[in-house]
């Protein structure tokens, strides 16, 4: 296994890794063949028991988040360490040939800034018709990128040029919908690729925290609000609506944006809380008058 660390790698491959991930040795050996000068950045959820093996034996740069993060947060953290001219984001459960992955790298080298995968036709379950595909298509339509169809940073793999990563900002990748808005607003050249073997292609890592459909819808709603001028580009959230946790990894501090859910008691019981409180006060006054 070639475990040299290049001063200026041509390609950086970002992989979120779970502690129970299988065939990691085979995966690392595989991705090293994408380009003769490839650096691999493995982002491990929480503290990983595989860190020493991945780093010392297989030549990967390993980042342990110390926290439970989802796959997109892990990719954002990894991208902050990437040094390659092309940054490729893949999944730990890789199920595609080497030539297919090389296509992403080649398209970036030919001048594209962003290479994203379209959603598989099999992504809609027969038992549950709810699918994020409609959200992807709607956002692209509003961006004036109808030709991109269901392409989204939610789909893996995707690739960015060095210029695109610096323009979008690694931290923005935590919210794929907002990252897509940012890429479009900046006028970055975007190219789409159809998914390979959709019946086998995984949609996310097995053990790293995955987002549910409601979270994806909510993030796309915020991206649309951002696009229409409703909020500033801060993951489509104002500072008063969130708090930030610092993730320590490889002596670098990363800001991890998470939602701050206020207490329902403090908010007066959630939706309609003010109306209920007003009714309660009125009811007490009526009782006192009756006595």
């Amino acid at each position: 296994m070639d475990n040299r660390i290049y001063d200026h790698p041509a390609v950086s491959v970002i992989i979120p890794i779970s502690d129970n991930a299988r065939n990691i040795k085979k995966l690392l050996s595989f991705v090293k063949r994408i380009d003769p000068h490839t650096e691999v950045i493995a982002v491990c959820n929480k503290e990983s028991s595989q860190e020493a093996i991945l780093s010392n034996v297989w030549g990967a740069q390993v980042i342990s988040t110390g926290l439970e993060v989802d796959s997109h947060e892990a990719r954002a953290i990894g991208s902050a360490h990437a040094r390659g001219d092309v940054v490729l984001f893949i999944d730990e459960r890789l199920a595609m040939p080497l030539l297919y992955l090389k296509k992403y790298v080649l398209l970036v080298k030919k001048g594209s800034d962003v290479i994203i995968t379209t959603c598989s036709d099999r992504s809609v379950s027969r038992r549950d018709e709810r699918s994020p595909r409609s959200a992807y298509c709607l956002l692209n339509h509003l961006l004036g990128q109808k030709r991109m169809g269901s392409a989204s940073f939610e789909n893996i793999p995707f690739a960015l040029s060095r210029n695109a990563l610096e323009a979008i900002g690694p931290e923005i990748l935590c919210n794929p919908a907002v990252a897509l808005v940012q890429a479009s607003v900046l006028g970055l050249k975007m190219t789409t690729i159809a998914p390979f073997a959709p019946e086998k292609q995984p949609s996310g890592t097995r053990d790293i925290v995955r987002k549910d459909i409601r979270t994806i819808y909510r993030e796309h709603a915020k991206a649309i609000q951002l696009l229409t001028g409703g909020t500033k580009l801060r993951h489509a959230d104002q500072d008063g609506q969130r708090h930030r946790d610092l993730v320590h990894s490889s002596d670098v501090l990363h800001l991890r944006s998470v939602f701050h859910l206020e207490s329902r008691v403090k908010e007066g019981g959630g939706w309609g809380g003010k109306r209920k409180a007003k009714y309660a006060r009125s009811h007490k006054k009526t009782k006192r008058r009756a006595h």
Side-chain angles (χ1 to χ4, degrees):
M1 179 70 183
D2 183 3
N3 60 358
R4 289 176 294 174
I5 303 299
Y6 300 103
D7 293 332
H8 186 74
V11 180
S12 298
V13 182
I14 313 296
I15 316 173
I17 299 291
S18 63
D19 201 41
N20 296 324
R22 301 176 181 179
N23 301 321
I24 293 301
K25 295 179 181 179
K26 182 179 179 180
L27 173 61
L28 295 181
S29 178
F30 178 81
V31 298
K32 285 276 188 177
R33 293 160 53 199
I34 293 176
D35 188 275
H37 295 81
T38 298
E39 71 168 354
V40 180
I41 301 175
V43 184
C44 300
N45 205 10
K46 297 183 178 180
E47 298 295 333
S48 175
S49 59
Q50 303 185 78
E51 182 172 352
I53 297 176
L54 293 174
S55 179
N56 299 330
V57 180
W58 295 97
Q61 180 180 356
V62 182
I63 302 170
S64 293
T65 64
L67 296 174
E68 189 174 76
V69 299
D70 65 35
S71 56
H72 293 290
E73 290 171 322
R75 293 182 188 110
I77 292 170
S79 66
H81 294 263
R83 296 174 296 125
D85 295 325
V86 181
V87 184
L88 178 64
F89 300 82
I90 66 173
D91 194 279
E92 70 179 16
R93 294 187 294 157
L94 196 64
M96 58 192 66
L98 186 63
L99 286 177
Y100 180 78
L101 285 180
K102 285 185 174 181
K103 184 188 296 186
Y104 289 80
V105 176
L106 181 60
L107 287 172
V108 173
K109 289 183 177 181
K110 285 184 175 181
S112 292
D113 296 305
V114 178
I115 314 296
I116 46 181
T117 310
T118 56
C119 193
S120 166
D121 291 333
R122 296 173 179 264
S123 63
V124 181
S125 172
R126 294 180 181 179
R127 296 181 179 180
D128 187 357
E129 296 182 355
R130 291 183 302 169
S131 168
R133 183 188 180 96
S134 58
Y136 305 160
C137 292
L138 174 60
L139 182 58
N140 286 328
H141 182 75
L142 294 175
L143 288 171
Q145 304 282 355
K146 189 176 180 180
R147 60 179 177 79
M148 290 174 52
S150 60
S152 171
F153 284 129
E154 293 279 357
N155 304 326
I156 296 298
F158 67 87
L160 300 173
S161 67
R162 164 58 50 187
N163 290 336
L165 178 61
E166 292 177 354
I168 295 172
E171 68 282 357
I172 302 297
L173 294 176
C174 288
N175 188 324
V178 173
L180 187 60
V181 170
Q182 178 78 325
S184 181
V185 169
L186 291 172
L188 299 177
K189 184 178 179 181
M190 295 188 283
T191 304
T192 62
I193 292 183
F196 176 82
E199 67 276 6
K200 297 180 181 180
Q201 177 64 20
S203 58
T205 54
R206 181 175 302 170
D207 296 299
I208 287 203
V209 179
R210 295 176 59 185
K211 291 183 291 188
D212 60 23
I213 186 69
R214 289 175 295 182
T215 301
I216 293 175
Y217 284 161
R218 186 167 60 247
E219 288 184 351
H220 277 71
K222 289 172 182 175
I224 292 171
Q225 186 182 14
L226 169 66
L227 181 63
T228 56
T231 57
K232 295 181 180 180
L233 187 59
R234 289 178 174 177
H235 295 270
D237 285 311
Q238 298 174 352
D239 279 340
Q241 294 175 300
R242 65 180 184 171
H243 66 86
R244 297 171 175 179
D245 289 335
L246 289 175
V247 178
H248 296 263
S249 47
S250 299
D251 299 324
V252 177
L253 292 178
H254 299 278
L255 289 176
R256 178 196 174 200
S257 298
V258 293
F259 295 104
H260 181 60
L261 302 179
E262 296 289 345
S263 168
R264 283 186 172 270
V265 176
K266 183 177 178 180
E267 294 292 334
W271 293 105
K274 292 183 178 179
R275 177 180 56 81
K276 293 177 182 178
K278 183 178 180 180
Y279 174 80
R281 289 194 298 269
S282 176
H283 188 63
K284 288 181 180 179
K285 287 180 181 180
T286 304
K287 279 188 174 181
R288 286 198 296 267
R289 290 170 182 171
H291 291 295

